[in-house]
Amino acid sequence: MSNSITSFQPYKVTQPEWSSHAVIYQVNTRQFSNEGKFAGVTEQLPRIKSLGADIIWLMPIHPIGEVERKGTLGSPYAVKDYMQINPEFGTADDLHTLIKTAHDLSMKVIIDWVPNHSAWDNPLVEKHPEWYAKDYKGDFRPSPWWDWSDIIEFDYTQVGLRNYMIEAMCYWVKEFDIDGFRHDVAGYVPNDFWQQARCELDAIKPVFMLAEWENRDMHERAFNITYAWTWNETMHEIAMGKRSLDSLRKYYSWNERSWPQEAYRMTFVSNHDKNAWDGTQYEQFGDALEASIVLSVIGEGMPLIHNGQEAGETKRLAFFERDPIEWQEHEIGDLYRDLIALKKSKAVLGNGEYGARMIQVPNSVMNKVFSFVRHNTDEKVFVVINFSNESVNTDFYETLFEDDYIDFTTGQHHTFSTNTQLSLGPWQYKIFVKR
């Protein structure tokens, strides 16, 4: 018997062509406009499109539990009814209008799904108490170790629960023509359930699935994209001076060797959790903010914009109350717009297997400067970032970086050869695009 393997494909989720250079934009409907309704989101879809976003992620749209509610309005992640719309946001017609408007703009819409737990007063609690996990006393329980007292956990050993959740997700795809889901704490739910769900959903239409989790094998049969939590945490600690730059190289080594290239990783400097509990993008990244945004968009990964970042994200948005975003024109919005336009103009800057791998360019200040190339036979993008609060002069080694470029920021011509030295100010970045 031959021991040779002629074909092996463990990761069977096919990434759609429309996602090749896609960018995600997260919407907190409650805080997005002064009215806090779907209509306020619909009105701004053309502006979001102008940033370069392709996927609108709506935070949970369902009614919120009242029993054990936190704050005045409660957490959107305490779902009272999976089959209804939160009247705080508007009507079914309003949601239909939002989705149709997004589709007319060639944008996709995914909704947040909360599979791990429900509100205490979800009708399922009385109809199917056996679908819920119990503590050592036999009582319903919130997720252990977390301050999530407003929810109780499901038990996915229950076949009825699995069938219900899949049917509920299918309802929103069939009736509202949504394009997929972002799944809250997806790793708390068994991976075989996600494989079941994906199969049923794709039978209706191909869906795009984002897991709030960081696990390679969730990509095998279910998820298009997972969170790059490790990237975010590493970048934050580098910005705060708590980690060396080699920790970022360690992340990219892990990303390249342990994860299949077709698996999308979501790179972000902010999201609703980071903003509400850890701080604004400025609190999290300080002077390293712009450099970190550059790497999130131009490096490997699918970038996320959290609503309000483009307006300077001036505050931590309240989680359980109304706290509208303070919209304004801002240089961060301009930066995202310019970077995403560059990303979309170059095949090598595509997501996953649609783009080119980052290849490190060794330099003479490796403890401060991060430098890499993404290239193919026709295109080359050379990125150099000073992740330190000191000015540096750096040389580069090997030959991959050598070429004629246009400086992305200044438009000036720049030729790199073996003896070229580059000066960078504190936290300064340079993006060079092959002529």
Side-chain angles (χ1 to χ4, degrees):
M1 179 182 293
S2 171
N3 291 323
S4 64
I5 297 175
T6 58
S7 167
F8 183 63
Q9 185 187 358
Y11 294 88
K12 294 186 178 295
V13 174
T14 302
Q15 302 290 10
E17 287 188 18
W18 64 258
S19 70
S20 68
H21 289 68
V23 173
I24 304 175
Y25 186 96
Q26 181 185 7
V27 172
N28 181 338
T29 304
R30 176 185 287 169
Q31 316 299 20
F32 193 79
S33 64
N34 289 331
E35 298 76 23
K37 296 184 179 297
F38 292 134
V41 180
T42 304
E43 183 180 354
Q44 288 204 49
L45 287 176
R47 181 190 63 78
I48 298 172
K49 175 72 174 181
S50 75
L51 287 173
D54 305 277
I55 303 169
I56 301 295
W57 154 23
L58 297 175
M59 283 175 62
I61 63 172
H62 303 110
I64 295 169
E66 297 172 34
V67 176
E68 301 293 338
R69 172 177 284 190
K70 291 191 175 188
T72 305
L73 298 176
S75 166
Y77 294 90
V79 174
K80 187 176 181 179
D81 193 329
Y82 288 94
M83 304 298 286
Q84 299 296 324
I85 291 172
N86 187 346
E88 174 190 348
F89 299 151
T91 66
D93 285 343
D94 294 331
L95 180 58
H96 276 297
T97 299
L98 189 162
I99 294 167
K100 183 180 185 305
T101 303
H103 287 171
D104 288 346
L105 291 167
S106 299
M107 302 172 78
K108 308 295 183 181
V109 178
I110 64 175
I111 64 172
D112 222 320
W113 197 259
V114 187
N116 175 68
H117 51 261
S118 79
W120 287 84
D121 47 350
N122 190 301
L124 298 178
V125 177
E126 291 191 4
K127 290 181 180 178
H128 294 285
E130 73 277 11
W131 289 359
Y132 286 84
K134 309 297 193 300
D135 65 14
Y136 71 96
K137 296 175 291 185
D139 297 331
F140 297 120
R141 70 173 197 194
S143 293
W145 306 97
W146 289 99
D147 180 22
W148 292 356
S149 59
D150 54 342
I151 58 90
I152 49 177
E153 284 201 317
F154 286 119
D155 175 7
Y156 272 82
T157 65
Q158 299 293 317
V159 173
L161 170 65
R162 289 176 174 234
N163 291 336
Y164 170 83
M165 277 292 174
I166 291 172
E167 289 171 8
M169 284 189 279
C170 287
Y171 166 80
W172 293 96
V173 177
K174 290 176 181 176
E175 299 300 321
F176 287 85
D177 197 26
I178 65 166
D179 302 292
F181 299 88
R182 177 267 186 188
H183 291 287
D184 187 58
V185 289
Y188 280 15
V189 175
N191 203 16
D192 65 322
F193 167 76
W194 293 124
Q195 296 172 20
Q196 289 179 275
R198 176 92 202 203
C199 183
E200 296 293 331
L201 291 165
D202 277 351
I204 304 169
K205 66 181 280 189
V207 292
F208 192 81
M209 299 274 274
L210 164 61
E212 189 208 8
W213 208 251
E214 190 171 30
N215 181 289
R216 172 187 64 191
D217 294 338
M218 298 185 85
H219 292 271
E220 280 192 80
R221 300 289 188 276
F223 286 98
N224 299 83
I225 179 169
T226 51
Y227 272 48
W229 280 117
T230 303
W231 184 92
N232 175 270
E233 292 162 0
T234 300
M235 294 300 300
H236 165 68
E237 295 199 358
I238 289 172
M240 297 294 105
K242 296 179 180 179
R243 279 203 206 182
S244 72
L245 196 51
D246 272 346
S247 62
L248 183 58
R249 298 185 179 99
K250 180 179 179 180
Y251 166 81
Y252 282 111
S253 175
W254 176 58
N255 182 64
E256 180 171 336
R257 296 297 296 144
S258 292
W259 295 70
Q261 191 171 4
E262 58 265 36
Y264 291 163
R265 314 293 308 287
M266 187 174 75
T267 45
F268 56 93
V269 299
S270 188
N271 60 36
H272 68 281
D273 285 313
K274 301 302 293 185
N275 171 271
W277 313 119
D278 297 330
T280 68
Q281 58 188 343
Y282 293 104
E283 291 178 274
Q284 286 289 290
F285 289 91
D287 292 336
L289 175 61
E290 291 193 13
S292 300
I293 289 173
V294 166
L295 191 54
S296 77
V297 177
I298 304 302
E300 292 182 43
M302 182 182 289
L304 168 76
I305 304 173
H306 174 244
N307 58 190
Q309 275 191 266
E310 72 271 38
E313 200 171 74
T314 56
K315 60 183 176 181
R316 302 187 185 192
L317 298 174
F319 208 72
F320 310 116
E321 315 290 342
R322 287 276 293 118
D323 187 17
I325 295 166
E326 297 171 4
W327 291 109
Q328 61 180 344
E329 293 295 320
H330 197 276
E331 59 188 11
I332 294 297
D334 295 336
L335 177 62
Y336 267 116
R337 188 176 291 106
D338 292 344
L339 290 170
I340 294 169
L342 174 61
K343 176 183 176 70
K344 291 177 181 293
S345 73
K346 299 296 177 185
V348 293
L349 300 182
N351 300 318
E353 61 188 335
Y354 288 105
R357 282 289 190 195
M358 295 164 58
I359 301 176
Q360 179 168 243
V361 174
N363 64 70
S364 59
V365 198
M366 293 289 279
N367 63 328
K368 295 182 174 67
V369 174
F370 189 74
S371 48
F372 64 91
V373 161
R374 299 182 74 179
H375 79 117
N376 60 25
T377 55
D378 301 313
E379 298 176 344
K380 184 182 293 185
V381 178
F382 178 32
V383 180
V384 187
I385 306 175
N386 178 12
F387 280 114
S388 80
N389 59 6
E390 300 175 358
S391 295
V392 297
N393 297 312
T394 184
D395 299 300
F396 302 97
Y397 308 127
E398 301 183 1
T399 60
L400 184 59
F401 71 97
E402 296 178 9
D403 226 316
D404 291 326
Y405 298 95
I406 297 294
D407 186 315
F408 169 70
T409 303
T410 67
Q412 294 179 339
H413 171 233
H414 204 113
T415 299
F416 278 97
S417 59
T418 54
N419 59 356
T420 301
Q421 187 176 77
L422 186 66
S423 298
L424 294 167
W427 308 108
Q428 187 179 6
Y429 65 88
K430 286 286 188 180
I431 304 171
F432 299 100
V433 182
K434 181 179 177 179
R435 297 180 71 188

